[in-house]
Amino acid sequence: MRFAQVKLAIIILSASVFWGCGKSNTPPNVITPPPPPPYTGKILTNLTYGINKDWLGQTQNLLMSIYFPSSEIPTTKTPLIVFCHGGGYVSGDKESSKGECEQLASAGYIVATIDYRLGYPQYGNVICNTLNSSGTHEAYYRGQQDARAALRYLVFNATKYAIDTNWIFIEGQSAGAGMALGVAYFTQDSLDYYLPNISDTLGLLDNAGNNLKTTYTIKGIGSMWGGLLFTDDVITKSTAKPTIFFHGELDTVDPWDVGNLYECSAFSIHYGSKPLYDKTVSYGVPAVAHIDPTGGHGIYTSKFNEDNIACFFTSLMQKQPETGYFTTQVANCK
């Protein structure tokens, strides 16, 4: 009897495996696209672009990796994208954006992804109590210093890495998007206004991490579910930059409109994708917004997002800028 039961179970299991393999969940007449080819471009890893003290006072080497569109460093000048990872200034590293960087490099860009200083004092296990405004503001400021140090390093080494300094873009996710927008818009004077005396403690924005004096101009921004802290007044007719935004209307971390981070009233006001997009286009500057009415903190797929960011940046270089405000997953690529 026991043998018969075991035999019956084997028959049932075999049948389920057979039908599972023989039937597909793919609707008829729908062709599943093949996965993208493996990335074969050259990668330079763990390049030191600066050195600075972390929030605990310990010396930290600031590292970056650079992805190239071909198996060797190009022989012609190539546009640059600097990618800032997310993680709320407490987690993440340059390796967490590896897939996005490979995708952007495959689209014809040199892509540099950076580690930056993380960490700040945290209190309790309730998110609004955990966020210490003074500590997070210092973490934000350190991130601004590090991203700028990375840009100075890359421009200083532009010939070595075949970077076209006429076309420098910056993008990021979440906290990294806030970094990217801050680098594009905040000056020492404006951050000193909103964060009085912080430079006395942490040093100036544009000479921390390394002593390089090179300058740069950001030609476009990719902002994925991030925004500007404190104000959007830094976006003016003379400073507005072409930007592509991605955001979910239900984001409770970085609000898509104007609101407090993490919905904590004691924390900083945050200007999300909606007001930044509105202000950018009001000055006649090209912008694209991908807004998901049902999405939260992080929308769509990295492939969709990076494909559209690469298309947007390319359209700027071709002087045929893409524009549009999309509330469904529709590509801005033309």
Side-chain angles (χ1 to χ4, degrees):
M1 180 70 178
R2 182 176 180 82
F3 174 79
Q5 290 175 331
V6 171
K7 186 175 181 181
L8 178 62
I10 292 173
I11 292 171
I12 293 172
L13 177 61
S14 300
S16 66
V17 171
F18 175 81
W19 286 110
C21 292
K23 297 175 70 175
S24 171
N25 291 324
T26 303
N29 303 319
V30 173
I31 299 175
T32 302
Y39 176 71
T40 58
K42 185 178 183 66
I43 308 174
L44 299 178
T45 61
N46 296 329
L47 302 172
T48 300
Y49 68 85
I51 300 173
N52 215 324
K53 300 286 187 182
D54 66 15
W55 74 285
L56 295 173
Q58 298 174 345
T59 299
Q60 179 178 335
N61 289 332
L62 303 172
L63 305 178
M64 71 166 58
S65 293
I66 305 178
Y67 295 73
F68 295 91
S70 56
S71 59
E72 298 297 333
I73 295 175
T75 56
T76 58
K77 292 182 178 180
T78 305
L80 170 71
I81 299 173
V82 176
F83 193 105
C84 306
H85 69 79
Y89 298 101
V90 293
S91 64
D93 58 30
K94 60 185 175 60
E95 295 306 310
S96 63
S97 56
K98 178 176 169 49
E100 287 87 348
C101 293
E102 290 180 352
Q103 187 175 339
L104 291 165
S106 296
Y109 292 86
I110 293 172
V111 186
T113 179
I114 64 172
D115 283 340
Y116 51 93
R117 288 170 291 166
L118 303 174
Y120 56 84
Q122 301 179 53
Y123 307 97
N125 57 5
V126 177
I127 189 66
C128 286
N129 296 336
T130 298
L131 293 169
N132 172 269
S133 291
S134 173
T136 52
H137 289 163
E138 290 184 355
Y140 176 79
Y141 191 87
R142 284 190 288 266
Q144 288 293 299
Q145 289 178 317
D146 295 350
R148 294 161 196 248
L151 280 157
R152 293 195 304 274
Y153 170 89
L154 288 162
V155 173
F156 182 81
N157 290 285
T159 301
K160 180 178 180 180
Y161 299 133
I163 294 168
D164 185 349
T165 56
N166 292 313
W167 292 107
I168 296 177
F169 305 97
I170 189 167
E171 70 166 283
Q173 297 173 335
S174 191
M179 283 179 60
L181 289 160
V183 168
Y185 286 116
F186 280 122
T187 64
Q188 187 68 61
D189 287 344
S190 57
L191 272 186
D192 282 345
Y193 177 81
Y194 291 103
L195 300 172
N197 305 317
I198 197 167
S199 59
D200 295 337
T201 303
L202 299 182
L204 299 177
L205 286 174
D206 294 312
N207 67 359
N210 59 47
N211 295 320
L212 300 174
K213 304 299 183 184
T214 44
T215 60
Y216 51 86
T217 300
I218 302 297
K219 292 296 181 68
I221 310 164
S223 175
M224 291 176 277
W225 42 98
L228 278 172
L229 290 180
F230 315 122
T231 184
D232 65 349
D233 289 344
V234 288
I235 302 179
T236 65
K237 187 173 181 61
S238 62
T239 64
K241 296 186 181 297
T243 307
I244 179 169
F245 301 93
F246 296 80
H247 225 130
E249 290 188 22
L250 305 183
D251 194 334
T252 59
V253 178
D254 293 80
W256 82 295
D257 204 335
V258 182
N260 300 98
L261 288 171
Y262 294 95
E263 299 184 329
C264 298
S265 60
F267 201 60
S268 304
I269 286 292
H270 173 276
Y271 289 76
S273 295
K274 183 181 185 298
L276 301 187
Y277 171 84
D278 289 344
K279 198 154 197 182
T280 302
V281 298
S282 75
Y283 294 123
V285 175
V288 169
H290 290 278
I291 306 298
D292 183 355
T294 63
H297 192 63
I299 63 170
Y300 307 144
T301 66
S302 61
K303 176 169 175 49
F304 177 85
N305 298 341
E306 300 306 337
D307 279 350
N308 283 278
I309 289 173
C311 281
F312 179 72
F313 290 163
T314 299
S315 77
L316 298 177
M317 292 188 291
Q318 294 174 342
K319 302 188 185 308
Q320 296 178 326
E322 297 166 352
T323 59
Y325 188 98
F326 305 94
T327 56
T328 57
Q329 192 172 342
V330 176
N332 55 260
C333 292
K334 296 176 182 176

